[in-house]
Amino acid sequence: IYVAIYFVVVTVLTFPLGVYEGFFREHAYGLSNQNFVQWFGDFLKGQGIGLIVMVIAGTVIYAVIRATPRYWWAWGTVVMILFLMIGAVIQPVFIAPVFNNYKPLAESPLKDKILSIARSEGIPATNVYEFDASRQTKRISANVSGFLGTTRISLNDNLMKRSKNQDEIIAVLGHEMGHYVLDHAVRLITFEGLVFFVGFGFTAWGFGGLTNIFGGNWDVRTVDDPAGLPVLSALMTIFFLVATPVENTISRTTEAQADIFGVNAVRLPDAFAQATLQLSEYRKLDPTPLEEFVFYDHPSGRSRISMMMRWKAEHLNDWDIKNGPVSPQ
C-alpha cells in the first residue's frame, strides 16, 4: 500500500515534466501524431503498468530487506535480475500490445526475405509483425524482442511507409536481428545487474549514513521501515544520474555490435546509412565526443554512417557491392 501511494504521489509531482518531455517537445520537433487526450491515454496506460510493477517489485524487495537486512543489497540485485528476465519474456507478448495493435505482415516477397534471413541466422521466428506506431509518432522503428520462447520480429508502419525502398527495411531488421543472435538481451541484463549491484551497495551505504544523521527527525531508523522508501528512491536516483555515461556506453557499444552484424548479414551499407539519416530527426547527427559519451545510448549518426562507409570501402571488389549503389563521391 505504501509503495502504491508513493508511486502515485511521485507520478503527480513529476507530471508537468512528463508532459513537457513527452508531449510538447515531441510536437516542437514535429514527431508526434497525437493530441493531448490521446497522449494522456497512453500515459495512463504506462503509469498503470508501472504501478503494478512497482508494487510487486517493492513488496519483494522489502521482503528481502526484512529477511537479510545486512546483505539486502546483494540479494536485491538477484531479485532485480530476475525481474529484468521476466520483463524481457513478457514484454513483446503482454506489454507492447497494450499500446499498439500488432498484426502479421501481409504475405509478400519482403516478408519472405525477412524470414529467410531470420532462418539463416538461427532466429526461431515463424512470422513478422507490423504495429501501428504512426498513431503516436513519426519515428521509424523495428525490433526482435523476447527470448525463452517469446521471440518476435516486429517493425512499425512508419518504417514501411517512410523507407525509400525495401533495402532500407531489410538493413534495419538486419541490425535488430543482430541483437538476438549476439545474445544482447542476456548481455544487457548481466551488465544491468552489475550496475544495480553497485547502485544497491551505494544506496545501502547512503541510507545508513543519512539515517544516522537525520533518522531522529525523519522517525526512520532501519532500512526495513517502508517510511524510508523516499530516501532509498532518492539515493538510487542520484546513483543512476551519475551512472548515465556508464549505462549509455553499455547500450551504445551493444548497438554498434548490432550495426556490424547487420551489415555483414544483409550487406546493405548504403541502405542502413540512409535509414540512419531518418534518425537524425530526433538525434543530433554530429555531436562532440563528450556529448556522445555522456548522452547517447546509440552511436551518433555520423559514427554509424562512417562505420557503414568503412565497411563498404573494404568490400568494394565484392560483386554485390560493386554492382550496388554508387557513392556520390
Side-chain angles (χ1 to χ4, degrees):
I1 293 173
Y2 187 94
V3 171
I5 295 172
Y6 177 78
F7 182 87
V8 172
V9 169
V10 171
T11 298
V12 172
L13 291 175
T14 59
F15 179 71
L17 180 61
V19 174
Y20 174 74
E21 291 180 337
F23 185 76
F24 288 108
R25 295 302 291 173
E26 291 290 304
H27 280 81
Y29 284 90
L31 294 172
S32 178
N33 292 328
Q34 292 182 309
N35 59 38
F36 183 79
V37 173
Q38 293 167 331
W39 175 87
F40 187 62
D42 278 350
F43 174 83
L44 289 179
K45 291 178 185 177
Q47 295 307 305
I49 293 171
L51 175 62
I52 294 171
V53 171
M54 283 298 296
V55 167
I56 295 173
T59 301
V60 173
I61 290 293
Y62 268 101
V64 170
I65 291 173
R66 293 192 184 101
T68 173
R70 187 172 180 180
Y71 298 107
W72 71 266
W73 50 276
W75 288 106
T77 301
V78 175
V79 170
M80 288 306 303
I81 291 174
L82 291 175
F83 273 111
L84 291 172
M85 293 176 64
I86 294 170
V89 171
I90 69 173
Q91 191 276 335
V93 179
F94 298 105
I95 306 300
V98 172
F99 299 93
N100 295 100
N101 294 318
Y102 284 72
K103 63 180 181 180
L105 187 65
E107 298 298 327
S108 64
L110 172 64
K111 182 176 182 177
D112 292 339
K113 188 169 185 177
I114 293 171
L115 288 174
S116 176
I117 296 170
R119 287 192 298 269
S120 72
E121 300 297 342
I123 298 174
T126 57
N127 211 336
V128 181
Y129 293 87
E130 180 182 358
F131 60 99
D132 57 344
S134 61
R135 64 181 290 269
Q136 292 134 341
T137 182
K138 295 182 175 66
R139 301 173 190 238
I140 64 171
S141 179
N143 59 76
V144 180
S145 56
F147 73 133
L148 299 179
T150 63
T151 304
R152 173 176 291 190
I153 300 174
S154 306
L155 64 160
N156 73 16
D157 53 353
N158 290 325
L159 181 63
M160 293 289 292
K161 295 171 185 176
R162 299 187 61 190
S163 297
K164 294 182 179 180
N165 51 58
Q166 290 188 358
D167 281 353
E168 290 184 25
I169 300 172
I170 295 295
V172 171
L173 284 171
H175 163 92
E176 298 300 334
M177 291 179 189
H179 286 307
Y180 180 88
V181 176
L182 297 174
D183 288 325
H184 281 167
V186 175
R187 181 180 189 270
L188 289 173
I189 289 173
T190 301
F191 277 106
E192 194 67 18
L194 293 174
V195 173
F196 267 106
F197 180 76
V198 178
F200 279 158
F202 166 79
T203 300
W205 169 79
F207 187 92
L210 289 173
T211 51
N212 284 338
I213 299 171
F214 303 107
N217 294 331
W218 295 342
D219 198 21
V220 176
R221 290 295 187 183
T222 58
V223 70
D224 62 345
D225 185 347
L229 177 60
V231 182
L232 294 176
S233 298
L235 289 167
M236 286 298 290
T237 300
I238 292 169
F239 171 79
F240 276 104
L241 174 63
V242 175
T244 295
V246 176
E247 293 264 86
N248 284 344
T249 298
I250 293 170
S251 175
R252 191 171 59 251
T253 54
T254 299
E255 296 295 335
Q257 291 172 0
D259 285 351
I260 290 296
F261 177 94
V263 73
N264 279 311
V266 304
R267 302 178 64 83
L268 296 169
D270 294 276
F272 190 82
Q274 188 64 44
T276 298
L277 289 175
Q278 292 198 52
L279 303 180
S280 68
E281 295 173 345
Y282 54 92
R283 291 180 186 149
K284 188 177 179 181
L285 193 61
D286 189 15
T288 66
L290 181 60
E291 283 180 303
E292 187 166 357
F293 171 71
V294 175
F295 298 112
Y296 277 59
D297 58 4
H298 286 60
S300 67
R302 179 184 178 86
S303 297
R304 301 180 99 169
I305 293 172
S306 296
M307 187 187 301
M308 292 299 110
M309 294 305 100
R310 284 196 302 271
W311 186 95
K312 184 177 180 181
E314 297 297 330
H315 293 81
L316 282 177
N317 293 323
D318 298 355
W319 71 268
D320 56 340
I321 303 301
K322 186 181 293 185
N323 296 320
V326 177
S327 297
Q329 291 85 345

